Amino acid sequence: MTTELAQVKVRRKGVWAAAITLGVLALAVLVVPPIVQLDQQLVDLRSAGLAPSLAHPLGTDEMGRDVLLRSLYGLRVSFMVGLVAALVSMVIGGLIGLAAGSLGGLPDRLLMRVVDGFSALPHLLLGIFIVAMFAPSPYAVIVSVGVTHWTTAARIVRSEVLSLRERPFVEAAVSGGASRARVVRRHLLPHLAPHLLLATVLMVPHAIWHETALSFLGLGLPPHLASLGNMINDGQRSLLSGDWWSSFAPGLFILVPTLAVSVLTQHWRDRLNPRTRSELSL
Amino acid sequence: MLRAHEITVRYGRRTVLDRVSFDLPPGQVVGLGGPSGCGKSTLARVLAMMLRPAGGALSVDGAQVRGWRQRAPRELRTRVALLYQQPRLAVDPKLRLREIIAEPLAAMGRPDESRVGALAAEVGLTGDLLTRRPHEVSDGQLQRACLARALTLDPGYLICDEMTTMLDASTQAYLVAVVNAYRDRTGAGVLAISHDEVLLDRWADTRAELTGAGSPPGMPSPSPAPL
């Protein structure tokens, strides 16, 4: 019991650390660009390749631009792209999963074969194929990530709907004259919402990674735009000359929020599970 | 008359109901007993059109049932109301008691607050309880809400699937009295499913027994006697 209690305490500290980290990052991303008012695009060749110092805490890149400032701008862009892409994939997947689970029978089988088909394709390759059809822009990345990542949401929603529709309270609603649409609106969606929200939050860092990968390959966001992928791509040229910070900082800005989101969503998942919820409240 | 003819239900390879015929006439309380697992609740779900049987036919007041669950016409499925053994599973945990009782009226597009209040009073629920959620009330109070919900649309047939099993004697007696009063007032047919022989002896006008298709080999598997 003492060990369990200690584990819960450690886990709780981890959750707080993750929440504070994410909060600070969110605040920095939201507040710094409008307040600092520095031109993160401004080229200053006299300051090119400066190592981290008090004036430039994370150094400067080969164009003399401040890496910390550009990383914050990059995280802001990547976060917005990741969030919208995650929402797009959740809406597509949620609707398909809801339709499959609540209709059942032939529509369910047909929709799930489509899901299987999409899942069988390597989604990064499919994403590259989709994004290559458009000119580099945030919208192209959003479409590419959104269209290739809805299958997980579809499976989550379908399995939840299948479980919910067999519960006596849903049966009682049907018996009381509720239409299919009413059952979905009144009884299924409120129970699905926490799971969908969790899946969306989990999807955001994943979408950021994809945005980064596409931008790194030169297919994502336009090269002049400060995004984490573009910065890592630019920074790799400086690595050979020993300027490790140009790639390190954007890499850190991908890794840290991803880990923080992972810790928080794990805690959230535990809270959704009644068995672990009782352990958490020890 | 709620009439089930040669109903067969299988869960996978296991036959739970084997050609069971059963009639529930209006205005009568039919008591249905039988050992655990013999298919009483399964029969209740079939009669409420919530479970499609593998074989057999069901008719409600002469109208043949051709679809099940949402595929059953709304006017047909609301003619039969089902009360579950475990009220806690039978209510949406996110709704308040008032919303739970009002749910069938809202689903039919004719919300009626005064009717909800009258039904709540009839089953013995006070106004303050109606604002609570299921986890804030007892099983007995929740079953009262379920009974009020079942009576909301004035069903012609009420199937009580061990509705009093988890309740104390006074709540049990109260709910049975409410059901009897409803039967007397509307002439509805009531199927009382229970293990409680004493209760069925006192409550039911006629009795039927279900021994189940899962009986040991060689044992007969009689259907409830047609009434």
Side-chain angles (χ1 to χ4, degrees):
Chain A
M1 195 60 164
T2 322
T3 327
E4 276 176 23
L5 209 62
Q7 279 176 348
V8 168
K9 278 184 179 171
V10 169
R11 225 183 301 165
R12 212 172 278 167
K13 278 182 187 167
V15 169
W16 273 110
I20 291 168
T21 308
L22 214 55
V24 168
L25 273 176
L27 206 65
V29 158
L30 290 173
V31 170
V32 169
I35 286 182
V36 173
Q37 294 282 318
L38 284 178
D39 186 359
Q40 44 93 18
Q41 309 272 31
L42 192 70
V43 174
D44 178 10
L45 292 175
R46 283 171 304 176
S47 310
L50 291 180
S53 63
L54 276 177
H56 302 286
L58 290 173
T60 60
D61 65 7
E62 59 180 359
M63 300 286 200
R65 298 171 294 197
D66 186 81
V67 173
L68 175 61
L69 186 63
R70 265 180 80 77
S71 294
L72 286 175
Y73 271 92
L75 187 60
R76 187 183 165 96
V77 171
S78 299
F79 177 72
M80 289 313 291
V81 169
L83 183 67
V84 178
L87 284 173
V88 168
S89 68
M90 284 305 133
V91 169
I92 299 173
L95 287 175
I96 289 178
L98 202 57
S102 53
L103 292 174
L106 187 65
D108 178 32
R109 286 198 293 275
L110 282 175
L111 286 169
M112 290 322 287
R113 291 303 76 76
V114 174
V115 171
D116 289 344
F118 258 88
S119 302
L121 297 168
H123 64 280
L124 182 59
L125 282 182
L126 187 63
I128 289 172
F129 177 74
I130 292 170
V131 85
M133 294 194 297
F134 302 94
S137 76
Y139 302 107
V141 177
I142 288 168
V143 170
S144 159
V145 178
V147 168
T148 52
H149 284 77
W150 56 270
T151 52
T152 315
R155 283 185 201 282
I156 291 171
V157 170
R158 176 183 174 266
S159 67
E160 278 298 318
V161 170
L162 287 181
S163 149
L164 281 169
R165 58 178 277 189
E166 294 306 319
R167 304 254 182 101
F169 75 82
V170 173
E171 199 170 277
V174 175
S175 175
S179 64
R180 237 182 255 279
R182 185 175 175 83
V183 167
V184 167
R185 197 178 62 244
R186 185 83 167 151
H187 301 290
L188 300 186
L189 279 179
H191 289 268
L192 288 172
H195 298 277
L196 259 180
L197 208 58
L198 175 64
T200 309
V201 174
L202 269 173
M203 189 65 213
V204 173
H206 189 87
I208 291 176
W209 281 83
H210 269 272
E211 179 279 308
T212 308
L214 292 172
S215 298
F216 180 79
L217 294 171
L219 296 163
L221 300 177
H224 69 276
L225 207 63
S227 86
L228 298 174
N230 282 341
M231 288 179 70
I232 294 175
N233 192 14
D234 293 343
Q236 67 171 337
R237 287 193 296 269
S238 314
L239 274 178
L240 291 174
S241 57
D243 298 353
W244 53 269
W245 52 87
S246 333
S247 289
F248 173 77
L252 205 64
F253 273 79
I254 298 172
L255 199 63
V256 170
T258 306
L259 289 176
V261 168
S262 168
V263 170
L264 285 178
T265 47
Q266 183 57 48
H267 178 69
W268 190 353
R269 214 192 307 246
D270 289 345
R271 302 261 341 154
L272 283 178
N273 181 346
R275 198 165 66 87
T276 45
R277 184 169 55 210
S278 63
E279 285 170 13
L280 287 172
S281 58
L282 272 172
Chain B
M1 178 90 77
L2 179 62
R3 172 165 284 170
H5 180 67
E6 299 210 329
I7 296 290
T8 299
V9 175
R10 295 191 191 94
Y11 292 136
R13 287 182 185 174
R14 199 166 80 89
T15 302
V16 180
L17 295 175
D18 189 12
R19 296 191 306 279
V20 170
S21 295
F22 181 82
D23 287 350
L24 179 60
Q28 284 210 26
V29 177
V30 177
L32 180 64
S36 295
C38 71
K40 299 189 295 295
S41 295
T42 300
L43 180 63
R45 290 185 70 212
V46 172
L47 293 175
M49 288 158 264
M50 290 299 110
L51 180 69
R52 185 193 191 97
L58 180 72
S59 67
V60 185
D61 298 329
Q64 203 69 32
V65 174
R66 302 195 191 283
W68 305 85
R69 287 182 73 104
Q70 267 133 341
R71 289 194 178 91
R74 194 185 269 184
E75 59 276 14
L76 218 54
R77 72 181 128 108
T78 52
R79 285 285 294 156
V80 184
L82 178 59
L83 262 169
Y84 296 83
Q85 179 182 0
Q86 291 176 300
R88 222 154 273 287
L89 300 179
V91 296
D92 191 330
K94 291 186 186 291
L95 300 184
R96 295 179 194 282
L97 260 55
R98 180 185 296 282
E99 295 167 315
I100 290 167
I101 299 171
E103 185 65 10
L105 285 168
M108 300 298 278
R110 40 173 216 260
D112 184 350
E113 276 301 309
S114 60
R115 172 109 174 103
V116 172
L119 278 165
E122 191 179 340
V123 297
L125 287 175
T126 51
D128 63 310
L129 289 171
L130 296 182
T131 58
R132 295 193 194 171
R133 293 185 199 280
H135 68 274
E136 295 168 326
V137 299
S138 69
D139 281 351
Q141 288 163 334
L142 212 48
Q143 192 64 297
R144 286 168 194 256
C146 287
L147 178 57
R149 176 180 63 183
L151 301 182
T152 312
L153 298 177
D154 293 324
Y157 301 93
L158 188 61
I159 298 166
C160 307
D161 184 9
E162 307 204 35
M163 73 159 183
T164 56
T165 306
M166 301 175 76
L167 311 177
D168 60 85
S170 64
T171 310
Q172 204 175 78
Y174 192 95
L175 293 185
V176 169
V178 172
V179 171
N180 280 342
Y182 176 75
R183 189 267 310 255
D184 294 342
R185 194 170 68 240
T186 62
V190 176
L191 175 63
I193 299 174
S194 181
H195 280 116
D196 189 338
E197 291 293 321
V198 179
L199 175 73
L200 288 184
D201 281 343
R202 283 173 179 270
W203 189 10
D205 300 320
T206 48
R207 291 282 302 271
E209 205 68 23
L210 195 64
T211 54
S215 307
M219 293 266 292
S221 170
S223 301
L227 298 162

